[in-house]
Amino acid sequence: MNTARPAAPSRAEQAADRIASLAKDAGPGTRLGTKEELRAQCGVSVGTFNESLRLLQARGLVTVRPGPGGGIFSSRPSPMVRLGNTVLALDAQETDVAEAVRIRDALDPLLIEDALWHASPADFARLRGHLDVMAQAVAATDAVAFVRANWRLHAQIAAISPNALLRSLYNNLLDLIETHTLGVLPGGEQPLGEYIAQRHELHRDIVDALERRDRDASLRLIREHHTSPKSPLDNASRTEGS
């Protein structure tokens, strides 16, 4: 059995914390600088800074304004975002992540119902784009890439919902899970490649059922998604730079 050790915050989290501190000291609406200025100040790569910015925007701590005089500005989180941040504030312990997964799974049927009613052809094109990325990860037997593409698919399904509170809570749960399970350790009885291929097929079937507006099949498949047997991905741990 593999035991994951709590790890130090990633470079993206460290940069996000630094900018969050600046935003708090500056007060709402204050210009903190351009993206390049703040990236250089944090000493991180463009990709890492973009991830930091995504975390900060999800938490309602900054806004980005384009054009002359634009840049990154401090912001005051709305009550809805603050609700999501209570999820992000959980300690990075295994039990906390497990509870986040449990809550996320409980919200999935609500998002499936919304997708059945509101998904457009453009939404399905985006979902199939994420399925393509998952297929590429299956072909490469890249479990980390597969997990990330899987989360992006679920985030895209959540984006279809017109319920802003549901979207915010779900996405913040995904942020917590993703932040603390970026690596995958071997485990389970089924070979990794075989397992992720089956999971890709299951997610493809979910998207197919949604596009057919088949409610019974969609809800049955999301239940199957949540009740699959122990997998090689179950022993997930934080792996810096993965």
Side-chain angles (χ1 to χ4, degrees):
M1 177 178 178
N2 294 298
T3 302
R5 295 178 302 170
S10 69
R11 297 271 290 167
E13 291 172 308
Q14 292 172 355
D17 288 344
R18 183 170 183 175
I19 296 170
S21 180
L22 292 175
K24 181 179 179 181
D25 293 341
T30 302
R31 186 177 186 273
L32 303 177
T34 65
K35 289 177 67 173
E36 180 56 30
E37 288 169 347
L38 292 175
R39 185 197 68 78
Q41 187 174 339
C42 293
V44 296
S45 68
V46 172
T48 297
F49 185 77
N50 286 338
E51 176 64 14
S52 302
L53 192 57
R54 186 183 71 82
L55 292 172
L56 289 162
Q57 289 177 299
R59 298 169 190 175
L61 298 178
V62 301
T63 57
V64 180
R65 301 177 193 172
I72 298 175
F73 292 76
S74 60
S75 179
R76 184 185 301 278
S78 68
M80 184 173 65
V81 171
R82 287 199 297 273
L83 172 63
N85 286 344
T86 63
V87 176
L88 291 173
L90 289 172
D91 293 334
Q93 301 297 321
E94 182 179 352
T95 52
D96 293 328
V97 175
E99 283 303 305
V101 172
R102 182 167 174 258
I103 298 167
R104 183 210 66 174
D105 289 352
L107 297 179
D108 273 330
L110 297 176
L111 293 169
I112 289 294
E113 293 277 12
D114 282 353
L116 285 165
W117 280 99
H118 299 286
S120 68
D123 289 321
F124 286 114
R126 285 187 281 267
L127 291 174
R128 295 200 181 279
H130 291 298
L131 286 171
D132 289 343
V133 177
M134 291 171 70
Q136 293 166 14
V138 170
T141 320
D142 187 337
V144 173
F146 181 85
V147 169
R148 287 175 171 165
N150 183 358
W151 285 327
R152 298 286 72 77
L153 176 72
H154 282 277
Q156 190 63 57
I157 293 173
I160 297 169
S161 174
N163 187 323
L165 178 58
L166 177 58
R167 290 197 313 268
S168 177
L169 182 56
Y170 191 87
N171 285 323
N172 278 290
L173 287 165
L174 282 182
D175 279 340
L176 183 147
I177 298 164
E178 181 174 6
T179 298
H180 299 295
T181 55
L182 295 183
V184 177
L185 300 175
E189 299 178 358
Q190 188 176 19
L192 180 62
E194 179 182 310
Y195 177 78
I196 62 176
Q198 289 180 359
R199 294 299 283 183
H200 172 256
E201 182 178 353
L202 175 60
H203 285 83
R204 186 194 62 207
D205 290 345
I206 290 172
V207 173
D208 287 346
L210 288 173
E211 193 162 22
R212 296 195 309 270
R213 312 295 177 178
D214 187 334
R215 181 177 182 272
D216 290 343
S218 297
L219 293 175
R220 173 179 56 78
L221 288 164
I222 203 66
R223 286 194 299 270
E224 181 180 339
H225 175 277
H226 296 157
T227 57
S228 296
K230 181 174 175 61
S231 78
L233 304 186
D234 284 340
N235 290 321
S237 70
R238 174 139 189 116
T239 302
E240 182 63 32
S242 63

